[in-house]
Amino acid sequence: MTALLELRGVTKVFSGGFFSRVPPLYALEDVSFSIPEDRPSITAIAGESGSGKTTLARILLGILSPTQGEVLYRGKPVSQMAGAERKQFRREIQPIFQDPFESYNPFYKVDHVLTTPARNFKIGRNRAEVNSKIEEALHAVGLQPEETLGRFPHQLSGGQRQRVMVARALLLRPRIILADEPVSMVDASLRATILDSVYTLNRQHGISVVYITHDLTTAYQISDNIIVLYRGSVTEAGSVETVIKKPQHPYTQLLVQSIPLPDPEKLWGELAARGDEHDGTIGGCKFASRCPHVLDICRSSRPVLYQIEQHRVASCFRYRDSPALAEGDITTVFASPAVEARA
Amino acid sequence: MTRRRTGTLAVEDLKVYYDTPEGVVKAVDGVSFVLKPGERLALVGESGSGKSTLAMALMRLTRAPGRIAGGRVLLDDVDLLRLNTQDMRNHRLRDIALIPQGAMNSLNPVMRTGDQIIDGIVDHVGDDGQQPSKTALREKVRSLLERVGLAPQVARMFPHELSGGMKQRVAMAIAISLDPLVIVADEPTSALDVIVQRQIMQTLGQLQEGLVASVVLIGHDMGLVAQFAHKVGVMYAGKLVELADVRQIFRDPLHPYTRLLIQSLPNLESKKKFLGIPGLPPTLLHLPQGCAFHPRCPAVIKGQCDSVPPVWGEIRRGQLVACHLYTETKS
């Protein structure tokens, strides 16, 4: 298995500077995973605010560089890339951001977000070729070019704007699309169409997707595998069928139990864990202070990732009898993308 | 307390219009419902459906260019819309309290939370003429914070020292400080994480049950609505299109819009095809003729839905709908 994009032991620390009295913040701690080249998949990165998911996204895009560890693209450290190589990296990994309003300059027509990258990356030899590629990309995300082009951003709905962003990403024929909360600011009735176009990018155009979200329901719906982060560390990872259907880490269990299911017959039970604040435990498991199953060992040492079953790892001492994950690359337990046809 | 505390809220044909240079925007157009003490009603709809405008109108906090163009908001037979400004001030917080949208940003950043809680209480003591002592107020703040699950020390803190969930709890403490009859909660958890969201909603539920108050929850998250509400009102383009018991809405919705809304919800049971609602919500300035939903409706009846507005009526026991599909079978 060759890795297209690989994170090796990535740690990101934000500190207030030499004279700062604020303790350094570990936004990410020792995260390793990779996106394989040969089978395009959808990987969800899930977590609450403060879990480090946006820091991870920025590191994957090369906007931030890790404090420790490496990001490799096609086996080469991204930090050492320059010139044409860096440009190719920039082209092959494309972002879709959260806010469909702020991604646009209101003074320009929406065409601008499509023609600018088309020009920068020279996707066509002449204007006619560029235009036909733009139209093709818009069709691929379910938009009619004649209803979209030539308009200003405020004349489109949030859902349409976000789909233009998906089309923009697709236009550059990237290898990886990184979608950071693409539907959290869009109405529920329009979410489905955006997620559907992201899903299509993967299944029909062979683009790997990293789907960053706080919403486990949509993560379950579109992803093959999931990585759950809590305060910068991976708590549980594996195929969505194992992790979301039968969570084993107490934090993932709490998350899944807290999902407001749209079913009045399945109400939330009593809450097992308490407090929405962490006490800044140093040394032990980060979740120990909130964990309903906390053991003595949890307060003194940090659990590693244990492989509980074929497609699941969890960093929890309840599973310390299972083998520790060698190398720490979570991807080894990921399930291959299912080639199921959606009913 | 000498006041009668029954508190049935009856909204009758409420209309809130915005005057814009392009014309009159009917953001809320003829909404009616009745809410008994202890009931939780959720109003759901897409952005622009008028649900937040309705919440503000219930509080009589509509601001220009918006205006309340008609209807009544009856609380114990007192029409809040007919009260003078001073009387309305007295009713606000004491009888009908608001947990605002983005409550975390509604706190005063340069005032200790305890003082902000006291602010509202002190403003209302004119009613029975007694000014509570400082110790009584301090004790009141302590007990309010305890009821929303916060430590007494929080009273001495400033909003920036609190997390989002804690600020939301302070906003709830303010809202319940005078034991209101009706609590209007406008998307109270929209920026919070799922676990905190669950804690906040469960706390709100306990408070409401303790007070036997009614709650009007404004939201767009159908999951949250399913977890919290007893009754659900679905709004589309400024009108209620369906109102029923929460179980009924999820099990057997009648209006095609409600049906599509329920079908579009992702679940954790099985991976299914993504179903969206085709088309776009209309702009309120240029509403389609007849039923506002007809251009997106899969069950549209040509020659009827596109010309005649549907009538709001009880189709099944406790299930009110405005749709030609059902008026036809009746006539």
Side-chain angles (χ1 to χ4, degrees):
Chain A
M1 187 184 76
T2 48
L4 197 55
L5 186 63
E6 186 180 357
L7 259 64
R8 270 195 207 148
V10 166
T11 297
K12 180 71 191 176
V13 186
F14 292 108
S15 54
F18 189 70
F19 294 106
S20 173
R21 270 177 283 173
V22 185
L25 174 80
Y26 283 78
L28 273 184
E29 260 186 283
D30 195 20
V31 175
S32 302
F33 80 99
S34 54
I35 293 161
E37 175 147 30
D38 44 358
R39 40 186 172 90
S41 59
I42 305 186
T43 308
I45 295 178
E48 299 180 285
S49 40
S51 63
K53 56 189 194 299
T54 298
T55 303
L56 182 59
R58 286 164 169 260
I59 287 174
L60 286 172
L61 287 171
I63 303 171
L64 277 181
S65 44
T67 313
Q68 272 169 43
E70 283 188 305
V71 185
L72 305 170
Y73 191 69
R74 296 181 187 274
K76 199 159 177 205
V78 172
S79 56
Q80 288 168 24
M81 287 182 179
E85 234 177 7
R86 186 153 188 97
K87 193 160 183 179
Q88 194 198 0
F89 167 74
R90 283 269 168 93
R91 173 174 179 165
E92 292 193 340
I93 169 158
Q94 284 295 322
I96 298 168
F97 290 113
Q98 177 173 16
D99 193 328
F101 302 89
E102 289 189 350
S103 312
Y104 289 87
N105 184 334
F107 292 109
Y108 290 111
K109 290 177 178 167
V110 292
D111 311 35
H112 191 72
V113 300
L114 298 165
T115 53
T116 308
R119 197 169 51 240
N120 286 345
F121 290 104
K122 300 188 180 60
I123 63 152
R125 272 161 300 178
N126 51 46
R127 185 165 290 193
E129 195 180 330
V130 169
N131 284 347
S132 81
K133 286 200 168 156
I134 287 177
E135 289 183 11
E136 194 187 316
L138 288 171
H139 277 299
V141 299
L143 289 172
Q144 299 298 322
E146 56 274 19
E147 290 176 10
T148 320
L149 296 174
R151 297 202 180 195
F152 284 99
H154 71 265
Q155 293 172 305
L156 300 182
S157 74
Q160 285 175 317
R161 268 189 290 238
Q162 199 62 311
R163 274 190 284 168
V164 172
M165 280 296 155
V166 180
R168 187 202 62 80
L170 176 64
L171 189 62
L172 299 173
R173 298 271 150 208
R175 300 300 309 271
I176 299 172
I177 282 182
L178 193 143
D180 188 358
E181 300 270 16
V183 294
S184 68
M185 297 183 74
V186 178
D187 266 320
S189 66
L190 304 170
R191 273 180 200 171
T193 50
I194 295 167
L195 289 174
D196 194 40
S197 58
V198 171
Y199 188 79
T200 312
L201 291 184
N202 174 252
R203 293 301 199 257
Q204 286 179 15
H205 299 266
I207 299 169
S208 284
V209 177
V210 178
Y211 176 56
I212 295 180
T213 186
H214 69 279
D215 179 1
L216 292 181
T217 322
T218 55
Y220 171 73
Q221 287 293 328
I222 75 165
S223 313
D224 304 303
N225 294 292
I226 186 168
I227 298 171
V228 183
L229 293 176
Y230 179 68
R231 292 174 61 207
S233 296
V234 176
T235 54
E236 188 164 354
S239 75
V240 287
E241 293 292 340
T242 52
V243 174
I244 296 182
K245 282 271 176 87
K246 291 186 262 353
Q248 295 300 315
H249 192 287
Y251 173 65
T252 328
Q253 289 174 342
L254 179 63
L255 264 186
V256 172
Q257 284 160 14
S258 299
I259 297 172
L261 291 174
D263 184 348
E265 312 290 340
K266 289 180 192 154
L267 295 185
W268 283 321
E270 286 298 309
L271 205 49
R274 290 223 36 95
D276 49 45
E277 293 307 293
H278 35 74
D279 60 1
T281 325
I282 299 164
C285 171
K286 291 175 178 176
F287 190 60
S289 60
R290 296 172 66 186
C291 184
H293 307 289
V294 63
L295 308 166
D296 285 341
I297 186 173
C298 303
R299 301 193 198 274
S300 54
S301 42
R302 185 70 58 84
V304 297
L305 288 167
Y306 298 102
Q307 183 165 4
I308 306 175
E309 48 195 287
Q310 191 194 355
H311 291 309
R312 186 207 306 272
V313 288
S315 68
C316 177
F317 282 119
R318 292 164 82 203
Y319 310 105
R320 65 195 138 170
D321 295 337
S322 302
L325 184 69
E327 304 279 308
D329 186 343
I330 301 160
T331 319
T332 51
V333 303
F334 278 3
S336 299
V339 273
E340 89 285 7
R342 290 190 163 233
Chain B
M1 296 258 170
T2 49
R3 281 178 295 137
R4 71 277 168 270
R5 313 277 303 182
T6 50
T8 298
L9 178 74
V11 175
E12 293 174 2
D13 201 26
L14 183 63
K15 291 178 176 145
V16 188
Y17 294 171
Y18 288 89
D19 297 313
T20 71
E22 288 86 39
V24 176
V25 171
K26 299 179 177 180
V28 175
D29 195 17
V31 168
S32 305
F33 60 85
V34 177
L35 198 57
K36 296 200 189 80
E39 277 186 332
R40 303 171 182 175
L41 168 73
L43 292 174
V44 296
E46 291 167 285
S47 28
S49 61
K51 52 194 198 300
S52 280
T53 302
L54 176 63
M56 289 323 243
L58 293 180
M59 298 298 302
R60 235 179 86 186
L61 289 171
T62 306
R63 291 204 189 131
R67 65 186 159 90
I68 295 173
R72 303 202 290 173
V73 176
L74 297 169
L75 185 59
D76 282 334
D77 302 322
V78 177
D79 187 354
L80 298 183
L81 303 183
R82 299 274 171 276
L83 295 175
N84 66 34
T85 317
Q86 188 52 48
D87 285 344
M88 187 60 217
R89 271 190 75 116
N90 288 336
H91 277 274
R92 244 182 246 133
L93 197 64
R94 193 190 64 189
D95 291 340
I96 181 164
L98 176 74
I99 303 175
Q101 188 166 22
M104 317 132 80
N105 302 324
S106 69
L107 298 175
N108 183 342
V110 293
M111 204 171 166
R112 294 185 195 277
T113 59
D115 296 337
Q116 301 192 45
I117 297 171
I118 290 174
D119 232 17
I121 304 172
V122 172
D123 201 49
H124 280 82
V125 285
D127 307 345
D128 23 16
Q130 286 167 310
Q131 188 75 35
S133 66
K134 275 227 169 99
T135 23
L137 283 173
R138 218 173 293 136
E139 178 53 30
K140 176 82 178 166
V141 168
R142 198 200 53 76
S143 88
L144 283 169
L145 288 175
E146 195 190 326
R147 279 162 73 194
V148 297
L150 289 173
Q153 302 88 284
V154 173
R156 301 280 309 146
M157 293 165 97
F158 289 100
H160 73 267
E161 297 175 271
L162 307 175
S163 71
M166 292 165 85
K167 279 186 257 191
Q168 191 59 270
R169 287 174 188 274
V170 172
M172 285 202 290
I174 294 173
I176 60 158
S177 59
L178 293 172
D179 304 342
L181 304 168
V182 181
I183 300 169
V184 179
D186 190 0
E187 309 234 9
T189 60
S190 52
L192 301 175
D193 287 321
V194 274
I195 298 172
V196 183
Q197 168 176 281
R198 173 180 171 193
Q199 291 167 338
I200 295 282
M201 292 313 289
Q202 291 186 329
T203 308
L204 179 60
Q206 289 158 9
L207 293 171
Q208 172 258 347
E209 278 167 12
L211 292 169
V212 202
S214 54
V215 172
V216 181
L217 173 74
I218 309 291
H220 63 269
D221 182 344
M222 290 299 276
L224 213 55
V225 166
Q227 295 293 324
F228 185 80
H230 302 143
K231 284 162 100 178
V232 182
V234 181
M235 288 190 72
Y236 190 79
K239 287 190 161 78
L240 268 180
V241 295
E242 183 158 2
L243 176 69
D245 176 80
V246 63
R247 287 205 165 80
Q248 197 67 14
I249 283 274
F250 280 90
R251 196 192 305 128
D252 193 10
L254 288 174
H255 197 283
Y257 176 65
T258 320
R259 284 191 180 160
L260 287 170
L261 202 61
I262 303 283
Q263 277 171 23
S264 74
L265 299 172
N267 63 31
L268 287 180
E269 304 283 301
S270 59
K271 295 196 177 188
K272 57 177 186 178
K273 191 158 169 49
F274 301 104
L275 292 166
I277 301 179
L280 293 172
T283 49
L284 294 173
L285 258 176
H286 307 287
L287 279 183
Q289 285 275 309
C291 170
F293 186 60
H294 88 259
R296 300 171 78 185
C297 185
V300 61
I301 306 164
K302 286 257 156 60
Q304 192 174 15
C305 298
D306 49 12
S307 53
V308 190
V311 184
W312 177 242
E314 190 165 3
I315 302 303
R316 276 191 209 135
R317 199 156 166 259
Q319 191 163 15
L320 291 96
V321 185
C323 179
H324 285 300
L325 285 177
Y326 307 102
T327 40
E328 210 187 31
T329 49
K330 263 175 102 185
S331 58

